[in-house]
Amino acid sequence: MASIRVTLPLPLALFFLSGCVTGPEHTPPQTPLPEKFAEGGRKSNTEVTIAAWWTAFNDERLNGLVERGLNQNLDVLQALERITAAEANVVVAGAGGLPSLTVSGDESVSKTGGTGDYVTRTTDTTSAASGGLGASWLLDMFGQYRRAREAATASLGAAYANADVAKLIYLSDLVTSYIKARYYQERIAIARKNLASRRETLDLTKLQLEAGDASRLDVVQSEGLVNSTLADLPGLETSFRQSAHHIATLLGLPASTLIADLQKGAPQPIARSSVNAGVPADLIRNRPDIRKAELELAAAVAEIGVAEAQLYPTITLNGSISPSWVSTKSLAGSVSSWSFGPSLTLPIFDGGRLKANVHIAESSARGAHIAWRAAVLNAVEEVENALAAVNRDNRTVSALTATVSSYEEALALSTASYKDGASSILDVLDAQRSVSTAQASLAQAIQQMATDYVALNVAIGGGYAF
């Protein structure tokens, strides 16, 4: 790049102060949205960001984990540290448009002299001191530093929103992991209950064999069902421990810390209240990822002004005062100098670099606008999906609850019939398998219902400001 630096008379420099701020002004982006969700109502929701929705599970242990984790989760703490860096960037961006002042000083002492065969030289000591006071101020005629500060301020807001995103992700991960842990505990309890029932059937079959009312095949089949249940337990126990380990990690604790506490057991979480999903327009206010995308767009728009301002002249007011003092054996004195005046820098030849920077900034802003629209549409999709699931989960749980009751009754009837010799052991074993499968399906449906409840609250942006 080539530039010309010209010293201007002060009145002419002040004339340039009438310059304008470059670049477009940021306006909140817009995108068409439906008036309501396909399976939602038309009522706008309240400030869901401060709603502690996980308390609907009525689980004190879960409530304690959430409250504890918000202050200890490492991902959240990292996001908060980014806020500190963004705050410092605001100061850095604004400092360029402010006057700067530098002070310098220097002192030295030197001696000359010596002896020879014919001449004796005397020693001469010289002391010298100098100082300087310099000031400069780059006049922000075209708003380069104002736009830079706008961009940094918007980035700071995006850092705050990013911390909220981290909190929302944390809430989703923690509560979902807790739901999984309780699901595996329920599956373990079901397996142990079924194991006890199948062992009773095995004992009964052995008695029937001794009485001559059963065959060795009946005993072997009963033993096979007992052993298959025993084989299921280790995998379920491993899955429970893995969920408990992940919960501890989310809380910033060693993996095995919470095993003993969670092994005390609790029912599977079931939400005791419904969710008002609001309307799509609420997402723009409540979802932190959408706010983050909008603030990143605002920062990108401000960067256009920064790039455009570099196309225009810059004026710098410079001033300095430089006193100095010298003392020798024969002479002492001081001298000082000062200067003040503006200088103009004109960018002329840069190979198109500055204009290319403007195009890059404009492209980045367009990309940020597209990212904002994508964030909005993704949020709407997440809410629609969660609503569709939540609105149907109760039906699944109700049907499976009835299925379990039916199969349990069938098992009781087949067992009584087998004892009376009216049916074979195969009828009992089939009934036991049916009960086990139905119970596992019911536990999974309850887990899914709780998970969908979490997904809906997270999708509408709930709870991260708790």
Side-chain angles (χ1 to χ4, degrees):
M1 170 186 174
S3 61
I4 296 178
R5 181 177 294 274
V6 181
T7 300
L8 296 176
L10 183 59
L12 183 58
L14 295 177
F15 171 77
F16 280 96
L17 288 175
S18 60
C20 60
V21 178
T22 56
E25 296 290 340
H26 171 70
T27 57
Q30 302 290 331
T31 190
L33 291 172
E35 293 183 359
K36 62 182 289 293
F37 295 109
E39 298 189 22
R42 296 182 180 275
K43 181 181 178 182
S44 177
N45 58 26
T46 56
E47 186 61 43
V48 298
T49 61
I50 58 174
W53 47 264
W54 51 90
T55 59
F57 291 114
N58 294 331
D59 191 319
E60 292 301 323
R61 188 174 282 107
L62 173 61
N63 296 342
L65 291 174
V66 171
E67 184 175 357
R68 184 178 178 183
L70 280 172
N71 299 320
Q72 298 181 8
N73 179 255
L74 299 182
D75 290 335
V76 174
L77 293 177
Q78 285 180 343
L80 293 175
E81 282 301 320
R82 296 188 190 103
I83 293 175
T84 303
E87 288 174 341
N89 282 333
V90 173
V91 177
V92 172
L98 299 176
S100 64
L101 182 66
T102 59
V103 178
S104 62
D106 179 71
E107 182 178 5
S108 63
V109 178
S110 61
K111 292 183 178 181
T112 59
T115 59
D117 294 337
Y118 304 103
V119 178
T120 300
R121 297 181 181 175
T122 60
T123 300
D124 192 3
T125 301
T126 301
S127 298
S130 63
L133 178 66
S136 64
W137 183 15
L138 192 152
L139 302 179
D140 195 18
M141 298 182 304
F142 298 100
Q144 175 180 348
Y145 292 106
R146 275 172 282 179
R147 291 301 193 199
R149 185 176 177 83
E150 287 178 12
T153 302
S155 295
L156 173 59
Y160 275 101
N162 187 62
D164 292 337
V165 171
K167 291 178 182 178
L168 201 58
I169 293 173
Y170 153 77
L171 286 172
S172 175
D173 198 357
L174 176 62
V175 180
T176 300
S177 296
Y178 184 84
I179 291 169
K180 285 182 179 179
R182 295 309 184 199
Y183 162 71
Y184 287 120
Q185 281 185 312
E186 179 67 15
R187 288 291 307 277
I188 291 170
I190 291 171
R192 287 174 176 168
K193 181 180 177 181
N194 290 335
L195 179 61
S197 174
R198 291 169 182 179
R199 278 175 169 164
E200 290 177 0
T201 301
L202 175 59
D203 293 339
L204 176 61
T205 306
K206 288 179 178 179
L207 291 175
Q208 296 277 38
L209 177 63
E210 292 175 359
D213 296 330
S215 66
R216 178 60 185 168
L217 177 61
D218 294 336
V219 175
V220 172
Q221 288 175 325
S222 297
E223 287 176 341
L225 195 55
V226 168
N227 289 327
S228 67
T229 307
L230 287 171
D232 290 338
L233 278 169
L236 295 172
E237 291 170 351
T238 298
S239 296
F240 163 73
R241 286 180 171 269
Q242 288 173 343
S243 297
H245 293 164
H246 187 58
I247 292 171
T249 301
L250 290 174
L251 269 63
L253 301 172
S256 60
T257 304
L258 299 177
I259 290 292
D261 184 53
L262 291 175
Q263 278 179 331
K264 295 175 182 178
Q268 282 189 269
I270 298 176
R272 305 299 179 182
S273 63
S274 59
V275 183
N276 175 25
V279 296
D282 294 331
L283 299 177
I284 296 176
R285 179 184 72 251
N286 291 328
R287 288 269 298 220
D289 56 333
I290 295 177
R291 290 191 292 104
K292 176 175 177 285
E294 181 179 350
L295 289 164
E296 288 175 343
L297 170 59
V301 170
E303 290 293 346
I304 297 175
V306 173
E308 288 186 357
Q310 294 174 354
L311 296 172
Y312 300 101
T314 59
I315 293 179
T316 305
L317 299 180
N318 297 298
S320 66
I321 300 175
S322 303
S324 61
W325 176 79
V326 178
S327 175
T328 64
K329 187 174 182 180
S330 59
L331 176 66
S334 63
V335 66
S336 61
S337 62
W338 64 272
S339 65
F340 175 78
S343 62
L344 173 68
T345 301
L346 301 172
I348 298 179
F349 303 112
D350 63 357
R353 180 177 62 85
L354 295 179
K355 286 187 177 180
N357 286 339
V358 174
H359 295 324
I360 292 171
E362 290 172 341
S363 178
S364 296
R366 289 192 295 268
H369 185 266
I370 293 171
W372 176 84
R373 289 184 57 201
V376 173
L377 293 177
N378 180 67
V380 173
E381 179 188 359
E382 288 179 358
V383 176
E384 295 281 20
N385 291 341
L387 273 173
V390 167
N391 291 340
R392 290 162 177 77
D393 285 334
N394 278 326
R395 289 155 50 186
T396 302
V397 171
S398 296
L400 286 171
T401 301
T403 301
V404 170
S405 297
S406 297
Y407 283 139
E408 286 177 340
E409 183 179 358
L411 175 58
L413 293 173
S414 62
T415 302
S417 178
Y418 176 64
K419 289 179 180 179
D420 294 338
S423 61
S424 70
I425 188 63
L426 291 178
D427 295 330
V428 177
L429 298 181
D430 286 342
Q432 287 179 335
R433 291 191 188 95
S434 298
V435 169
S436 177
T437 301
Q439 288 174 334
S441 298
L442 176 58
Q444 187 172 16
I446 292 174
Q447 178 206 12
Q448 189 62 52
M449 182 170 63
T451 301
D452 291 338
Y453 179 84
V454 173
L456 179 56
N457 280 282
V458 170
I460 64 177
Y464 62 84
F466 173 75

